[in-house]
Amino acid sequence: MKRTIGIILTLIGLVSTTITGMQVLEDSDSFSVLGMDVVVSQANYTPLIISVIVLVIGIILWTGSRRN
């Protein structure tokens, strides 16, 4: 049962991390000032952090079930 939940959480975390990561990259703007590149980000990082946490929990459950 742990293995199935781990696989599902891993897949959901992987997909959502990819999608939210692309949105964060799209919400970032860069410009040049005095020869230096300045990056301004107006992205909301909360969904990305939650997605990574779900991914990590899924991996832990999936690998933990193999030991038992």
Side-chain angles (χ1 to χ4, degrees):
M1 183 70 172
K2 275 185 168 180
R3 182 174 186 216
T4 305
I5 294 172
I7 291 171
I8 291 170
L9 287 177
T10 301
L11 292 175
I12 290 172
L14 187 63
V15 170
S16 61
T17 300
T18 304
I19 292 170
T20 56
M22 288 190 300
Q23 289 175 349
V24 165
L25 289 176
E26 288 177 3
D27 291 341
S28 298
D29 293 326
S30 65
F31 56 93
S32 181
V33 174
L34 300 173
M36 295 174 38
D37 286 332
V38 178
V39 177
V40 178
S41 178
Q42 298 176 352
N44 184 7
Y45 288 99
T46 305
L48 181 62
I49 293 169
I50 292 170
S51 299
V52 170
I53 290 171
V54 169
L55 177 63
V56 169
I57 290 172
I59 291 171
I60 289 171
L61 285 174
W62 190 5
T63 58
S65 67
R66 291 184 183 187
R67 293 181 188 160
N68 294 333

